[in-house]
């Protein structure tokens, strides 16, 4: 992931490709579950804490 350091938009575009593939490959998994797995972890604090403050903007 070092290649995406400081390039959050590029990282999200990259992850979007795999999100779409996962939706096709895992049709019984809800899109909300896959969304959380693909797109919320980049917003988690780097110290390992989990809080609502780490949610993407607007969520």
């Amino acid at each position: 992931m070092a290649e995406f350091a400081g390039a959050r938009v590029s990282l999200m575009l990259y992850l979007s490709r795999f999100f779409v593939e996962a939706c096709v490959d895992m049709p019984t998994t809800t899109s909300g579950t896959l969304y959380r797995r693909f797109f919320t972890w980049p917003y988690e604090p780097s110290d390992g804490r989990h809080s609502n403050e780490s949610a993407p903007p607007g969520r």
Side-chain angles (χ1 to χ4, degrees), residues 10-59:
S10 296
L11 173 60
M12 291 302 173
L13 289 171
Y14 181 74
L15 291 174
S16 295
R17 172 183 175 229
F18 296 106
F19 171 73
V20 170
E21 286 183 22
C23 289
V24 171
D25 291 342
M26 301 168 59
T28 60
T29 305
T30 66
S31 59
T33 298
L34 291 173
Y35 176 88
R36 283 187 297 280
R37 291 186 71 181
F38 277 84
F39 299 116
T40 58
W41 68 266
Y43 292 98
E44 292 178 355
S46 59
D47 64 1
R49 291 179 299 140
H50 296 282
S51 74
N52 291 337
E53 295 173 15
S54 65
R59 298 202 112 253

